[in-house]
Amino acid sequence: MKREHAAILSALDAAGGKIIERWIDETEVKEAGARRAMDAEANGIVEALRQALAAQADPASFRGPEWSDLRHVLESLSGSRAARGQSAADTSLFILALKKPLFTALQQDLGADPASLIEAIWATTTLVDQIAQYTVSTFQQAREDIIKRQQEELLELSTPVIKLWEGVLAVPMIGVLDSNRTQIVMETLLQKIAETESGLAIIDITGVPTVDTLVAQHLLKTVSAIRLMGADCIISGIRPQIAQTIVHLGIDLQGITTKATLADALSMALQKNGWRITREG
């Protein structure tokens, strides 16, 4: 083990609790609950750092197996803070706040040897910077994972399959229709058709702002999949602007029943299923 790394380990062994206390004080957080959470985070980081240095892990190979425990602690910290809505900057500043308490501990141990103190301070700076950099990168990945999961959940929520009548399902489409959303709609709708044994599905595109060739292809694929399940399909929400666009683009919707409104589509679906609705009185 290098002399400067041994000095850091010695400081952690001798004054680990005091270093953690000063570390949290450096963040200037006063709220008791937040300080307890930081104390748990700081203890985990200091213990994993101490174990890595005791195993003579080289900070130059921070991605190596010797640092795996510390990396796992940092990943957990990043994930929990990202889930709580904290920022990458705040998380990085929390890690960097470890420097001053370590510098103070090293100064107390090596104050009589300026050369060794400078080496230890430089090694501490390099090591803490690496920890902070890794924390930021894992934080960004955790945030991206959360955003991706939320987008998927929003997609599922924005494409509900509604049972309008016995044997009649409807999917109201709102917003842009892309490949990912089409796949979710198709999977959800086909699953619902199989579960309810419905014979007719209505795809309502009233909330779709524009229909181009790509959107039309997505709709045709969905209709084809529905027919393969033995069900029929009606597309509703064909507004005048959309009808003109479809004609201008030369999109062939022949063989597919279309209606201007969802009410018209439901009326046709009921007729196809042999239902007649009359007004009482």
Side-chain angles (χ1 to χ4, degrees):
M1 180 188 298
K2 293 183 178 179
R3 182 173 57 180
E4 57 269 27
H5 297 152
I8 298 173
L9 176 60
S10 177
L12 292 174
D13 286 337
K18 198 67 175 178
I19 288 172
I20 291 173
E21 182 180 345
R22 290 173 177 171
W23 182 5
I24 297 174
D25 288 340
E26 281 295 312
T27 64
E28 299 183 353
V29 173
K30 304 300 182 183
E31 200 272 320
R35 288 181 67 88
R36 284 195 297 271
M38 284 187 176
D39 182 74
E41 293 171 341
N43 271 284
I45 291 172
V46 167
E47 179 59 24
L49 176 59
R50 192 192 64 77
Q51 291 179 1
L53 291 174
Q56 302 188 22
D58 184 3
S61 58
F62 189 73
R63 301 274 179 170
E66 302 87 355
W67 295 97
S68 61
D69 288 345
L70 178 56
R71 292 199 305 273
H72 290 156
V73 170
L74 298 176
E75 289 163 6
S76 176
L77 179 145
S78 297
S80 63
R81 283 178 169 247
R84 296 199 302 269
Q86 298 187 19
S87 67
D90 289 340
T91 304
S92 177
L93 288 174
F94 169 68
I95 298 296
L96 293 173
L98 173 60
K99 286 184 180 181
K100 188 175 180 179
L102 275 175
F103 291 166
T104 301
L106 291 171
Q107 187 176 21
Q108 292 174 351
D109 293 344
L110 303 174
D113 186 355
S116 297
L117 177 59
I118 290 174
E119 289 180 355
I121 287 177
W122 177 250
T124 300
T125 300
T126 303
L127 178 57
V128 175
D129 285 348
Q130 281 186 307
I131 294 174
Q133 184 178 12
Y134 185 81
T135 303
V136 170
S137 65
T138 55
F139 183 97
Q140 291 172 337
Q141 183 60 51
R143 177 61 61 83
E144 289 174 2
D145 291 341
I146 291 173
I147 292 173
K148 183 179 179 181
R149 185 171 64 252
Q150 290 174 340
Q151 288 175 336
E152 292 174 350
E153 292 172 353
L154 285 174
L155 280 176
E156 293 177 358
L157 291 173
S158 64
T159 54
V161 179
I162 304 168
K163 184 176 180 179
L164 292 180
W165 203 270
E166 188 68 33
V168 181
L169 301 177
V171 182
M173 304 294 296
I174 300 175
V176 178
L177 188 61
D178 56 18
S179 299
N180 291 335
R181 193 172 181 197
T182 301
Q183 186 64 32
I184 292 174
V185 170
M186 191 182 301
E187 291 176 358
T188 306
L189 183 54
L190 296 181
Q191 182 65 31
K192 199 71 173 180
I193 289 173
E195 291 176 359
T196 62
E197 298 182 354
S198 298
L200 202 148
I202 300 172
I203 300 176
D204 183 65
I205 61 172
T206 304
V208 177
T210 58
V211 173
D212 54 18
T213 305
L214 186 60
V215 171
Q217 290 175 351
H218 292 326
L219 290 173
L220 291 174
K221 288 180 181 178
T222 305
V223 172
S224 298
I226 292 171
R227 287 176 172 174
L228 287 174
M229 291 288 293
D232 200 0
C233 182
I234 300 174
I235 297 178
S236 64
I238 305 295
R239 306 183 299 278
Q241 299 89 336
I242 290 181
Q244 291 178 29
T245 301
I246 290 174
V247 171
H248 290 158
L249 292 176
I251 299 170
D252 185 11
L253 294 182
Q254 290 186 2
I256 300 176
T257 304
T258 59
K259 288 295 180 181
T261 67
L262 179 58
D264 293 338
L266 177 58
S267 178
M268 172 171 279
L270 293 177
Q271 291 177 16
K272 286 189 173 185
N273 284 352
W275 290 92
R276 171 185 287 183
I277 299 177
T278 59
R279 179 176 296 179
E280 185 177 353

